[in-house]
Amino acid sequence: MMFCVHTMAYTVVIDPGHGGRDVGAVGWISREKDINLKVALALGNMIKSNYPGIKVVYTRSNDTFVELRRRAAIANKVKADLFISIHTNSTAAGKKGTTAQGTETYTLGMHRAADNLAVAKRENSVITLETDYKQKYEDFDPNSSESYIIFEFMQDQYMASSVDFASMIQKQFATTAKRINKGVHQAGFLVLREVSMPSVLIELGFINNRKEEKYLASAAGQKQLAKSIYNAFVAYYKKK
């Protein structure tokens, strides 16, 4: 008698930040939501082409607005093994420009530096575009430092795996894409708080740095960034 052993497919959820009426950060020649989507789709295609047995799910695959809680719900519903949220950075200076440059990857945790808090506030502020966001997110105020105290007390069971993957991503950004490595950080991102699996939030670079924006907006730059994340994913996946 022959027995057929069924194994659960490995599932990756790729989350292109922002979308639709939420454009995210804006540069001189590009918008964050478009960069995020192009890199996310390229990453997903690389995974599907080389690992057809892995299920790839996008929280959005076109220019649509998706609530933060909905993004997490998609990942939880498919019982994802990994959640990758892709974003593009900007400083408070906005279109005045900045000399800041480089990539950084975040995991869920308490911000230990003002810069980390600023990034979390900017990415979490999208919830203000949602109807009844105070009720949905239990009176969480994305602009209030006090609201982030809750992250101090959260014990993330996936922290070690998340940090491991984040470190791999940063290494690949430096070697594959030759980008400045701004390191792995922790901060209170709502979308990471809501998911039940190892998760990271990637900031690809600074859209309000004119030189870096040209790279981020280019097809070649987007391909290099996607390849970097893909290489990190392969290294992470092979360890599992």
Side-chain angles (χ1 to χ4, degrees), residues 62-76:
N62 51 34
D63 186 20
T64 54
F65 178 77
V66 183
E67 295 182 351
L68 285 188
R69 179 160 284 180
R70 173 61 183 156
R71 294 169 189 267
I74 290 170
N76 292 334

Side-chain angles (χ1 to χ4, degrees), residues 37-219:
L37 181 60
K38 289 176 181 177
V39 173
L41 293 176
L43 169 62
N45 286 335
M46 289 177 190
I47 294 174
K48 289 188 287 186
S49 296
N50 294 288
Y51 290 88
I54 292 178
K55 183 177 181 181
V56 175
V57 177
Y58 300 102
T59 57
R60 69 178 180 97
S61 57
N62 51 34
D63 186 20
T64 54
F65 178 77
V66 183
E67 295 182 351
L68 285 188
R69 179 160 284 180
R70 173 61 183 156
R71 294 169 189 267
I74 290 170
N76 292 334
K77 183 176 181 179
V78 299
K79 294 180 171 57
D81 296 282
L82 189 62
F83 181 83
I84 307 171
S85 189
I86 298 176
H87 291 257
T88 304
N89 220 336
S90 181
T91 65
K95 279 202 170 184
K96 291 181 180 179
T98 182
T99 57
Q101 57 183 317
T103 65
E104 51 192 6
T105 302
Y106 286 84
T107 61
L108 180 67
M110 184 63 180
H111 47 272
R112 299 295 179 184
D115 287 348
N116 296 4
L117 175 60
V119 174
K121 283 183 175 180
R122 183 172 63 79
E123 299 297 3
N124 288 337
S125 66
V126 62
I127 67 171
T128 61
L129 297 177
E130 302 178 20
T131 304
D132 300 325
Y133 78 89
K134 288 188 177 180
Q135 286 73 32
K136 290 179 183 176
Y137 298 94
E138 301 165 349
D139 288 323
F140 182 89
D141 181 353
N143 297 310
S144 169
S145 298
E146 286 72 22
S147 286
Y148 290 84
I149 294 174
I150 58 171
F151 293 97
E152 185 73 71
F153 305 103
M154 294 186 67
Q155 294 295 319
D156 183 4
Q157 61 178 310
Y158 304 108
M159 179 60 71
S161 294
S162 299
V163 171
D164 190 30
F165 181 44
S167 299
M168 293 176 180
I169 292 171
Q170 285 302 120
K171 179 180 179 181
Q172 286 296 324
F173 277 147
T175 56
T176 300
K178 302 297 189 290
R179 309 313 292 167
I180 291 176
N181 182 356
K182 290 178 65 66
V184 174
H185 308 281
Q186 292 183 347
F189 293 99
L190 285 173
V191 71
L192 299 186
R193 184 186 77 172
E194 300 284 332
V195 297
S196 302
M197 72 282 307
S199 58
V200 296
L201 186 146
I202 300 167
E203 294 285 358
L204 298 170
F206 289 84
I207 201 171
N208 65 330
N209 176 314
R210 284 183 182 270
K211 182 178 179 181
E212 191 149 85
E213 183 193 12
K214 289 180 181 179
Y215 175 84
L216 292 167
S218 71

